[in-house]
Structures are given as C-alpha cells and as structure tokens.
Amino acid sequence: MKLISRSTAVQGGLLALFFAAAALPLAGQGPNPISRGTLDGEWPTYGGDLASRRYSPLDQINATNFSKLEIAWRFKTENLGPTPEFQYQSTPLMVKGTLYITAGSRRAAVAIDAATGEMKWMHSIDEGDRGRAAPRRLSGRGLSYWTDGKEERVLYVTPGYQLIALDAATGDRVPGFGKGGIVDLKLEMDQDMDLVTGEAGLHAAPIVSGNTIVVGAAHVEGGAPKSKTNQKGFVRGYDARTGKRLWIFHTIPMKGEFGNETWEKDSWTYTGNAGVWAQMTIDEESNTLFMPVELPTGDYYGGHRPGDTLFGESLVAVDLNTGKRKWHYQLVHHGIWDFDIPCAPILADLSVDGRTIKAVAQPTKQGWVYVFDRLTGQPVWPIEERPVEKGDVPGEQYAPTQPFVTKPPPFDRQGVSIDDLIDFTPELRAEAVKLVQQYKIGPLFTPPVVSKWEGPRATLMLPNATGGANWQGGSLDPETNYLYIFSNTNPTALGLAPGDGVKSDMLFVRGFASDPTDKSGRPAFPNTNVQGLPLIKPPYGRITALDLNEGTMAWQIAHGETPDVIKNHPALKGLNLPRTGRQGRIGVLTTKTLVIAGEGGVNSTPQGRGAMLRAYNKATGDEVGAVYMPAAQTGSPMTYRLNGEQYITVSVSAPGVAGELIAYRLGK
C-alpha cells in the first residue's frame, strides 16, 4: 500500500488577511450579520457563527434563574408534510427578529416570528418520485441566510437534492437564481446521475460566506451497499446571486489530480461516496473552507478500494472562492470502521506554551479531537502513526498504521476490554464476561471479522460506529478555549458476511452468521446486552469539557438521568445507582456562564413523561438548573435576544411525538 504525506500545505504560506467581502460593511446597514455571528444576540448561521462554535455571549439566563424558564411558544410541525416526523433535528437561525428553520416530513422552509412563534411564511415543494427516492429525507438539519446589504435570502437543500433560494421577507423563490429559484444539484456534478434515483442528497445546511454557497453530499446510510460502484460525493461552490456553479472539489481525485495515486488498481473510477454530509466551517480571515470528508464505499469492507484512498476520512482545507486545496490531513487510512468525520470543524485561537495558534479542532466518532494549525495543517500536538492489528478478511487490504492523537485525551472510551463490562453486581459481570467470549475484542482500530456462529460472531467496537461524536458536534467557548462535547458510550457489533446474501456485488458487507438450528437461515443479530441491560458499564451519555489551550480534560459528567428501564430493573433492586446518562444525538450550547443540553429519550420526570433541558456551570460541570421538555432533544439548541429578552430554542421529538420547536424565556 502506498502511503503519502498526511498533511500538505500550500507553498509560500498563508497571510492572515480579511479577504471575504462579507466582513466589510454593507450599504448603509453595518457589518454583515453572518460575519458578526452571535455578537449582536442573533444566530445567523447553523453553528451560530461561521467558525461553528455554537457559542453566544448572552447571559440574561444564568445559574440563578435557569430553572425558572417558561415556555414562550411552541411551533408544531406535524402538518408540514404528508406524514408527521418523529426525528426532528433542525436548528433555526435568527436574524432581525425572524427565525428561519426547516420542518416537516417534506422539508419545508419556514419563517417564524421570534417573539410569538407565529408562522410568517412557509415554502415547500412536492418532489414526487424524486423525493420518495431520496437517500436523506425528512426535515433535515437547517438552512442558511445570505445578504448583500440590500437583498436577503434563505437557502436550503430539498430531500431530492435541489438548492432553493427564497426571498427572506416573503418566502417567494428568487427568479434570478438558477431556474426559477432552483438549482438542480444532480446536474453539473462531473458524473452521470439519474435525476430521480441518483443517490445523492443532504441533511446538512449549506454554508454561505461572501458571495459563495457551499453544498456537500450524502448517500444512503448503512453498511450493506448494493454495489461497490456508487455516486461520488463531490463538493461544490455556487454563486449566491445567480446559482451558477463556481467550482467543484473531487473528494475522490480524478486521474492526474493530487491524491489519485492513493487509489490502487484504478478503484477511483468506480468507487463512490466520500461526500461531506456534515456541516462545514469557514475562516473568513484566510478565506478558507474546511471540509470533513466521509469514507468511500463501503463502510466496513475496503477490499474493492485498495490504497489509502484520499480524501476519504480527511479534513480538507480549500480556498473558498476557487475550491483549490490548501492542505489536508487524513484521520483514518483505508477506513473499515465507518469512522466518517461527522461534524463541523471548530475554529479556535489558542494559546499553547506561550504561542498564539490559529487552530481548527475536529471532533470525531472515534472519540478524539484532532487539533491543527488552520493555516498550515500541522498538528498542534503530535499525532503519531502507530502500528495496528491486521485482520484476515479475504480480499481486504489493511493500513499498517493509523494516526493516534496524543493531546487532548479522548472524550469517550476507545476499544473494548473486560474492564469495560457491566459491573453493577458480580452476577451481571460474570454473565457479561461469558457473553463477550462470542466476540473479538481489543483496542481502537481492531479490525472487523467475518461473522461465524461458532465465533467470533463480530468485533465489539467502542466508540460505536455512530460515535462518540456525531453530526451534532461540539461547542467552543472562545473566552477560555474550552470545547464542550456530548458523546455516546455503546458498543457496535461489527460482523461481515458475503455480499451475495443481500444481492450485493461486494465481496463482503456488514452482516452476521445464522444459527445452524434455525431452519429459516436468517442471520442472527448478536446480543450485546445482559438481561436487557447494556453490556458496557455507564455512563452511557456524557458531556466532556476539553481545555484546548492545555490539551487536557477539564471535566466530564454523565448527562441525562438514569433511564427507567435501568433504574427499575429487578437485577438492580436495592442498589444505589449513580446517574448513568442517556443515549441521544445531543448538541450542546455554550453561553457566557452555562453549558446547555437536553436529554435523549423519554423518561419519567417530576412533570410527567418527557425529558429535561439541563444547564451546567461551564467551568466545573456542576448542574445548576433544569426545565421540562415534552419529548427528547433531537435538534441542537440555540439562543438569541429580542426586545431585551433572551430566548433558548430546542427541537424535540420522540416515537409517537411529532417534532416541534420550543422556545423558552424567563417568566414575566
């Protein structure tokens, strides 16, 4: 396998200049709200600012009054589409007193009065078969706002992968953008794609700076692709005024392009995926776009794509105006664990050993935050190439080493050992030890196995194939450079089975062996619990604070009350259980004094069935308040100020509870 330099910087260095026109004053209106971020009490981009910090300096809501929050208004989404949605993940923007959000099972764009919750306008299109065939359906995670000081637009991507520009005041499509306000993203993608069934879509919001809109691509989720040949997830920049394509970045390099030689046996010609399905980040000062790239087809078997396969699982920095690569760093070589880079990189101006470093910090599924100089791509602390175990799956080619982060420490458990198993009682520990004898266990980067009924049935993997961190990412306090992040602790049973069993042309896909006594021949999904309890000891959900100036862990807590199914389990009767935390996809919000996050799942609370929105002292992790939510947090919270009052919004939903956006404020 040919290995190449993990980080390559642009020759001649980069100057820290303000290139982006968005940072300049607008005609008679002051600075662009996108460039101001949350400084004025607004929330103009998905991550609060283009640095993806998810931070606001607002402090009206604090430790003394958080528990006194009341619901200001509720915006229900069940009628915005043909069916209700029960996994509502969207986060709104707030600009000039209006919230903008995607909502409903057909992904409508909606404008909401930020004071009252009244709907101002709604835009939706029925994409028919194209929408029904979409790889990423439902409401998505949000949208974008753009202005040149005169016009104001809202931009979002439909389930059927069309980019729509709307007048922010009326919700009408902008006639001069694309064709009637729509750019078909399945066109001009440098590959053939069926406009109805072509496998490309997006849950994420586009990102906008200056006059450039950037759009990524996502594909069908899952570890058993029908073919080693798939659509490629190229990233493109578009003109915010006209919708004209400005540039395209081939995340799977074409012949003659940088990185193409890392695709052995011409596997670049047919391999797909390698999209950017996560949020992206922009440094306006250096005019740099940071793209977190997923791995190529398929998630757990790479035998059809030999080589290191750039830019799979790489953080790539490109020029915002041209799409030209400035530097890259591959976080996983020849990935076979579904360790996609799942979330937005976060910009931070660090002070490390007396040096000021303009940095970019990338949280990952594997439980590490990789920290780089954002101008050069050089790691702030050493990232060491260490040997990893070679597997024995037929046809697979294994990278001999993987990058290991030395600082900061991992924010979740990595690898599975006997010490990680449930230990509430000696009996449960003994049963867990017996159960794991069916599996292969080991440290991070232990390879998958071909599933055999007699064993091993799978490789047990921590963090989970979905993280660790996932799309919700982290939040950075720019005053202290503490990074706050939620993570799940729950193992994945990673087994492989022949692809022909699911009519795939891949040699192996994710799958499991069948019980020979079961005449149906159906694969038996491995058991990873003990008497209905998680195999791994808690906490199952946690929030970690990492000091990025020092590269150390400041604190870590279990986030979320112990689930009823654990608290009331007969095997645990009489035990004084610590708070275990709860699973979820939980984004955190940081303000002047607080870290705020809702619970995943629905549980019993003093107010009835539901979940709690909790606040913590951001310096210590001590809980300082909580308020009731009628369902679990499923979209990341944000905050804004309007007419002298601070609001916090959070999107909630649960099985049987349709999605809604809830706004809290202090009682009058």
Side-chain angles (χ1 to χ4, degrees):
M1 177 182 297
K2 183 176 181 181
L3 301 178
I4 71 168
S5 171
R6 307 304 181 198
S7 178
T8 306
V10 168
Q11 296 298 314
L14 298 170
L15 297 176
L17 300 175
F18 288 94
F19 287 114
L24 298 176
L26 301 172
Q29 294 195 15
N32 190 315
I34 298 173
S35 299
R36 293 286 294 168
T38 60
L39 294 178
D40 299 324
E42 298 187 327
W43 193 276
T45 72
Y46 177 85
D49 57 21
L50 291 172
S52 300
R53 294 186 179 110
R54 298 198 50 77
Y55 170 84
S56 171
L58 297 179
D59 61 358
Q60 185 182 78
I61 297 171
N62 54 49
T64 65
N65 57 31
F66 187 89
S67 294
K68 299 176 183 178
L69 288 175
E70 298 177 356
I71 293 178
W73 50 261
R74 300 166 71 166
F75 184 82
K76 297 181 179 293
T77 71
E78 59 260 47
N79 294 324
L80 296 175
T83 58
E85 180 184 19
F86 304 107
Q87 187 66 21
Y88 186 40
Q89 298 178 342
S90 193
T91 296
L93 313 180
M94 198 289 269
V95 181
K96 299 178 183 177
T98 299
L99 293 179
Y100 302 99
I101 195 168
T102 51
S105 55
R106 190 170 280 146
R107 197 176 301 175
V110 183
I112 302 170
D113 186 295
T116 65
E118 179 184 5
M119 185 168 69
K120 292 184 171 183
W121 54 254
M122 184 272 288
H123 177 275
S124 176
I125 59 173
D126 184 350
E127 296 179 288
D129 290 342
R130 178 169 176 156
R132 287 184 285 273
R136 300 297 170 107
R137 305 176 193 174
L138 302 177
S139 61
R141 300 195 179 113
L143 37 66
S144 297
Y145 167 88
W146 171 87
T147 183
D148 63 358
K150 298 178 181 178
E151 294 184 61
E152 295 178 87
R153 297 179 182 179
V154 171
L155 303 138
Y156 78 107
V157 177
T158 68
Y161 206 43
Q162 300 185 86
L163 175 63
I164 297 183
L166 305 174
D167 184 302
T170 65
D172 295 332
R173 290 203 291 269
V174 177
F177 185 89
K179 294 183 178 180
I182 300 177
V183 171
D184 191 332
L185 295 173
K186 291 186 179 181
L187 299 174
E188 293 189 301
M189 206 173 179
D190 289 6
Q191 58 189 302
D192 294 330
M193 187 177 299
D194 187 284
L195 297 186
V196 174
T197 62
E199 191 186 301
L202 194 65
H203 269 152
I207 191 166
V208 184
S209 176
N211 203 37
T212 303
I213 309 164
V214 183
V215 179
H219 303 80
V220 171
E221 299 173 349
K226 294 300 182 184
S227 177
K228 64 182 183 293
T229 301
N230 198 15
Q231 243 75 71
K232 303 175 192 293
F234 297 153
V235 179
R236 286 162 291 172
Y238 291 90
D239 186 284
R241 298 179 188 277
T242 66
K244 177 184 177 182
R245 193 187 92 173
L246 300 175
W247 54 260
I248 185 167
F249 184 87
H250 299 139
T251 52
I252 297 177
M254 301 292 201
K255 192 172 184 63
E257 292 182 335
F258 181 93
N260 177 265
E261 68 277 13
T262 67
W263 292 79
E264 298 176 10
K265 299 182 180 179
D266 289 335
S267 54
W268 65 273
T269 60
Y270 56 81
T271 304
N273 294 79
V276 177
W277 57 261
Q279 297 298 144
M280 290 179 262
T281 296
I282 292 172
D283 179 13
E284 287 194 309
E285 189 175 354
S286 63
N287 210 42
T288 302
L289 168 75
F290 297 93
M291 308 188 306
V293 184
E294 67 161 349
L295 82 173
T297 317
D299 288 351
Y300 307 108
Y301 181 73
H304 302 295
R305 47 173 172 83
D308 265 13
T309 60
L310 288 178
F311 292 94
E313 292 173 296
S314 299
L315 179 61
V316 183
V318 304
D319 183 279
L320 175 64
N321 291 339
T322 65
K324 299 296 184 183
R325 183 186 64 89
K326 294 185 174 183
W327 59 263
H328 77 277
Y329 201 101
Q330 189 172 56
L331 309 188
V332 182
H333 314 316
H334 189 81
I336 49 176
W337 299 274
D338 194 19
F339 284 152
D340 295 342
I341 307 179
C343 56
I346 301 169
L347 305 188
D349 295 334
L350 304 183
S351 177
V352 180
D353 297 330
R355 295 180 300 138
T356 299
I357 300 175
K358 292 184 177 296
V360 57
Q362 179 63 69
T364 61
K365 287 183 180 180
Q366 51 267 43
W368 275 320
V369 176
Y370 298 70
V371 187
F372 305 98
D373 183 310
R374 66 178 182 257
L375 300 182
T376 67
Q378 294 301 314
V380 170
W381 296 283
I383 298 177
E384 299 175 351
E385 289 288 336
R386 298 178 186 172
V388 293
E389 181 181 348
K390 180 180 179 181
D392 59 4
V393 176
E396 185 60 274
Q397 184 189 79
Y398 298 91
T401 65
Q402 292 292 348
F404 281 70
V405 171
T406 60
K407 277 188 171 186
F411 55 82
D412 213 299
R413 292 192 201 128
Q414 294 178 322
V416 179
S417 69
I418 296 299
D419 288 343
D420 294 308
L421 304 182
I422 187 173
D423 59 359
F424 289 132
T425 68
E427 294 78 14
L428 290 169
R429 165 54 72 94
E431 190 172 336
V433 171
K434 182 179 179 181
L435 177 61
V436 298
Q437 292 175 4
Q438 302 173 10
Y439 299 100
K440 181 180 179 66
I441 62 173
L444 187 70
F445 299 123
T446 296
V449 296
V450 176
S451 180
K452 301 180 180 65
W453 183 257
E454 65 277 11
R457 295 185 186 174
T459 295
L460 282 186
M461 183 174 83
L462 276 177
N464 196 292
T466 58
N470 205 275
W471 57 264
Q472 66 279 1
S475 174
L476 181 96
D477 181 349
E479 295 183 3
T480 63
N481 284 325
Y482 274 26
L483 187 150
Y484 304 95
I485 191 162
F486 172 88
S487 60
N488 288 308
T489 306
N490 183 39
T492 289
L494 183 48
L496 297 176
D500 56 13
V502 291
K503 297 182 180 178
S504 172
D505 67 13
M506 294 192 67
L507 192 56
F508 289 96
V509 297
R510 189 180 180 194
F512 304 100
S514 302
D515 181 347
T517 65
D518 183 350
K519 295 182 180 179
S520 72
R522 290 189 296 268
F525 195 84
N527 176 34
T528 56
N529 62 69
V530 178
Q531 297 184 30
L533 294 168
L535 175 64
I536 301 296
K537 60 188 176 184
Y540 307 123
R542 63 187 80 198
I543 292 175
T544 303
L546 297 173
D547 183 338
L548 294 190
N549 285 333
E550 301 294 330
T552 58
M553 184 182 295
W555 52 259
Q556 187 175 76
I557 58 165
H559 174 62
E561 189 52 81
T562 302
D564 293 339
V565 293
I566 295 175
K567 190 182 300 183
N568 302 325
H569 196 284
L572 305 179
K573 188 175 182 179
L575 294 182
N576 183 21
L577 299 177
R579 181 181 280 183
T580 66
R582 294 224 293 270
Q583 299 286 304
R585 289 282 168 255
I586 308 300
V588 298
L589 166 68
T590 309
T591 67
K592 186 74 173 178
T593 60
L594 302 177
V595 174
I596 300 165
E599 293 176 321
V602 174
N603 213 39
S604 59
T605 78
Q607 291 82 15
R609 297 287 292 173
M612 304 300 288
L613 181 67
R614 300 187 182 274
Y616 302 95
N617 180 302
K618 70 179 185 181
T620 65
D622 295 330
E623 184 170 328
V624 295
V627 292
Y628 173 76
M629 304 185 298
Q633 175 182 311
T634 47
S636 299
M638 57 82 81
T639 188
Y640 61 92
R641 181 180 58 227
L642 185 65
N643 300 325
E645 292 186 285
Q646 183 183 353
Y647 294 74
I648 295 172
T649 75
V650 62
S651 295
V652 303
S653 55
V657 183
E660 62 176 311
L661 180 68
I662 300 179
Y664 294 89
R665 70 181 173 199
L666 295 172
K668 295 184 177 180

